Amino acid sequence: MNKQLEVAQPVLTEEQIEQINFTLIEALHTNKQVYLTYYKKGQCITEKGFIQFVDSLGNLFVFIDEVFELKNKMRLSELIDVRFT
């Protein structure tokens, strides 16, 4: 049943990837809260929180979610969208 609810990971354009990277860096330096949408196990998930660390070369970033204040280490390639709250 759950397999039917899964969606394919959206393919981003080069422009979308650049915009995501720009927003991540700005959010990191200004400590502004963001809505982060990422792809995981067939689902697009949106959370609210803060960016703590970005490693573009290592394809990683650290996100602290608003609800539990937990550090989440994720791959940049899982990101679909990042927007300021």
Side-chain angles (χ1 to χ4, degrees):
M1 189 70 162
N2 286 343
K3 284 279 186 203
Q4 293 176 343
L5 301 176
E6 289 183 8
V7 296
Q9 182 171 2
V11 178
L12 302 178
T13 65
E14 197 64 39
E15 188 176 311
Q16 288 171 311
I17 293 169
E18 285 179 24
Q19 183 60 48
I20 286 172
N21 286 333
F22 178 78
T23 305
L24 280 175
I25 297 301
E26 186 177 343
L28 175 67
H29 291 295
T30 60
N31 201 34
K32 288 184 182 175
Q33 193 172 45
V34 294
Y35 286 113
L36 189 75
T37 304
Y38 58 94
Y39 181 83
K40 188 171 187 176
K41 297 181 182 175
Q43 294 183 323
C44 296
I45 301 164
T46 300
E47 293 188 51
K48 193 173 171 183
F50 297 91
I51 304 300
Q52 185 179 48
F53 176 78
V54 178
D55 178 5
S56 298
L57 295 176
N59 190 33
L60 294 172
F61 71 99
V62 176
F63 173 75
I64 300 175
D65 71 78
E66 180 188 54
V67 179
F68 300 108
E69 296 183 358
L70 295 174
K71 287 185 182 181
N72 300 290
K73 186 186 262 188
M74 291 187 215
R75 297 193 174 283
L76 289 168
S77 57
E78 295 172 336
L79 275 178
I80 298 168
D81 193 24
V82 180
R83 297 180 189 268
F84 290 108
T85 58

